[in-house]
Amino acid sequence: MEPGDYLCGTPAWCAGCGNFSVRIALSQALAELNLQPKDVLLFADVGCGGNGNNWFKTYVFHSLHGRSLPPAIGAKIVNPELTVIAQAGDGGAYGEGLNHLAHACRINVPVVYLVHNNQIYSLTAGQASPATDVGSKTVSTPFGVSEFPVNPLALAISAGASFVARGFSGDIAHLKELIKSAILHKGFAFIDVLQPCVTLNKVNTFAWYKERVYKLDKPLDKVAAFERALEKERIPIGIFYEESRPVYYNKPLVSAPVDVSKFVEEFK
Ligand code: SF4
């Protein structure tokens, strides 16, 4: 397979948007794992990143804001043969959908969760998100954000996630490897992707991240991973934590015989 086998059209994102890099890394990861587009199911919520699903040739599902995880988990339980990848922005994932992330970590259904984290609500024109740093001035916080931001990696580790990673859209090759590892992981795999919004976030730019980002050599034990997740001055990327533990299992509905005529009768 080639990356182009999963893509169609040109997304309507701003020139230089970090979403382009995530799209490239994801298509390269799928190609290198030789997955057939018919076996890949992408979920997205509302947001600039979520709109990217419109330009993928796999199966896709557009959910409500912050709600890409619940249908993704449901689909994976019904048909474990599918490669299921849910995407969301930092607003949806760490605001409206934060409870879904916590429970996905705990339940451990093998779904990949890619969060496009540009530290702002982009599609709605630049309001502060739960990932926006204290003091940041946005259209919704003209005097600066006063609330403490969510630390998604620390939260995922403490909620019991079996795979926790952070990528950077400025390093596509590294992000591609993270996505491949997440797809191959037997359990819920969470990747927070630092992804500048070149139009609305003039602070957390590519240059800002490049000065701070450094790579982890290998996954850490849980305590060390938590400590690294709390780092502020420098920003580690890579797999923070990975463990093998039982995944949620239910008898797949896709293989169960279904008598459709019975349901049709009920609706008559
Ligand atoms: Fe990308 Fe930001 Fe433009 Fe949305 S507003 S397409 S996140 S650069």
Side-chain angles (χ1 to χ4, degrees):
M1 302 297 292
E2 297 293 332
D5 294 332
Y6 306 89
L7 303 174
C8 55
T10 305
W13 293 319
C14 309
C17 174
N19 280 323
F20 286 105
S21 307
V22 183
R23 167 180 158 92
I24 293 168
L26 177 55
S27 62
Q28 289 178 345
L30 295 173
E32 290 186 17
L33 293 175
N34 208 33
L35 296 166
Q36 297 298 310
K38 72 175 179 54
D39 295 328
V40 177
L41 180 51
L42 303 182
F43 287 81
D45 75 335
V46 175
C48 291
N51 290 345
N53 269 9
N54 299 336
W55 294 281
F56 262 87
K57 285 196 288 190
T58 62
Y59 286 105
V60 300
F61 184 96
H62 214 134
S63 76
L64 301 175
H65 198 193
R67 316 296 178 198
S68 59
L69 263 183
I73 289 171
K76 184 69 180 183
I77 291 173
V78 168
N79 189 351
E81 299 301 315
L82 295 172
T83 295
V84 178
I85 299 170
Q87 299 185 75
D90 50 293
Y94 306 144
E96 292 84 349
L98 189 65
N99 55 335
H100 303 311
L101 172 60
H103 289 292
C105 294
R106 193 174 64 78
I107 297 166
N108 206 32
V109 173
V111 165
V112 175
Y113 194 29
L114 276 182
V115 177
H116 299 232
N117 185 355
N118 52 24
Q119 299 189 232
I120 205 155
Y121 281 101
S122 302
L123 191 70
T124 46
Q127 296 83 3
S129 88
T132 309
D133 287 327
V134 172
S136 301
K137 291 186 178 175
T138 72
V139 294
S140 61
T141 56
F143 303 109
V145 172
S146 59
E147 305 97 315
F148 201 70
V150 166
N151 184 320
L153 281 88
L155 188 142
I157 293 166
S158 60
S162 58
F163 182 106
V164 178
R166 180 193 279 140
F168 171 43
S169 64
D171 190 336
I172 295 175
H174 182 261
L175 179 58
K176 173 198 70 179
E177 292 303 324
L178 289 183
I179 295 172
K180 282 166 64 183
S181 298
I183 292 172
L184 295 173
H185 176 70
K186 305 282 185 234
F188 177 67
F190 166 57
I191 309 178
D192 179 65
V193 184
L194 303 174
Q195 183 222 275
C197 169
V198 295
T199 301
L200 297 167
N201 186 338
K202 302 296 185 190
V203 176
N204 309 111
T205 60
F206 278 103
W208 188 91
Y209 280 116
K210 275 196 169 151
E211 273 177 22
R212 291 162 176 80
V213 159
Y214 75 96
K215 288 177 187 155
L216 296 174
D217 297 331
K218 56 182 182 190
L220 306 158
D221 66 56
K222 197 172 254 191
V223 173
F226 193 87
E227 284 173 353
R228 289 295 180 100
L230 299 181
E231 269 192 59
K232 282 193 177 150
E233 297 308 315
R234 298 184 71 215
I235 305 176
I237 59 172
I239 302 174
F240 281 61
Y241 183 69
E242 184 170 17
E243 69 172 354
S244 174
R245 66 179 173 87
V247 299
Y248 179 92
Y249 178 78
N250 209 345
K251 190 174 174 190
L253 279 178
V254 73
S255 57
V258 178
D259 183 357
V260 178
S261 60
K262 193 174 144 203
F263 295 123
V264 172
E265 281 305 312
E266 281 180 16
F267 280 100
K268 275 185 181 172

